[in-house]
Amino acid sequence: MSTLKKIQREQNKWSAYNFAKRNIHWAILGLMEELGELAHALLKREQGIRGEDHEHEAAEKDALGDLLIFACEFANQRGYDLHNIVTETWESVKQRDWREYPQ
């Protein structure tokens, strides 16, 4: 079993236990919140304010991890296999050659 499949299954059990009344909108709102946190960390790093590089890096990594957890939640509520989705999407994306065919 892939690591992502394992994490998705564990996340499903954890979420069902901790949030009995799950709502798919919470997953989307969580994704949006974490994307905002990632943008905030990147902006502050680029501006060189409110922390050192290692603090911004930690915030970026935390937001990325949380984004994947909320993606698991959304996938679980829809009955999607996130590993398969990512694998299939990557198979398509990696065929694109933006240098050769920019249009």
Side-chain angles (χ1 to χ4, degrees):
M1 177 187 322
S2 78
T3 301
L4 186 54
K5 284 181 183 280
K6 181 177 183 256
I7 291 169
Q8 185 176 348
R9 286 188 181 145
E10 289 176 357
Q11 188 281 333
N12 193 38
K13 290 177 186 175
W14 175 87
S15 186
Y17 174 80
N18 285 283
F19 306 105
K21 295 182 181 181
R22 293 159 67 180
N23 184 319
I24 198 160
H25 300 100
W26 296 352
I28 295 300
L29 291 171
L31 281 162
M32 292 169 57
E33 178 187 21
E34 295 303 330
L35 189 56
E37 289 183 15
L38 178 59
H40 182 263
L42 177 60
L43 176 63
K44 297 312 166 196
R45 183 196 283 244
E46 292 289 318
Q47 292 173 329
I49 63 173
R50 295 192 189 154
E52 302 293 323
D53 272 352
H54 71 277
E55 293 170 302
H56 297 306
E57 180 180 331
E60 291 169 356
K61 289 177 179 180
D62 179 68
L64 281 172
D66 288 342
L67 278 164
L68 288 174
I69 299 305
F70 278 111
C72 285
E73 176 66 17
F74 184 87
N76 283 328
Q77 289 204 27
R78 286 287 194 236
Y80 300 156
D81 182 320
L82 195 55
H83 172 84
N84 289 345
I85 292 169
V86 171
T87 300
E88 290 169 10
T89 302
W90 176 239
E91 288 301 316
S92 174
V93 169
K94 74 180 183 181
Q95 299 302 315
R96 300 174 190 162
D97 185 338
W98 293 106
R99 289 183 182 198
E100 181 78 22
Y101 306 104
Q103 300 301 326

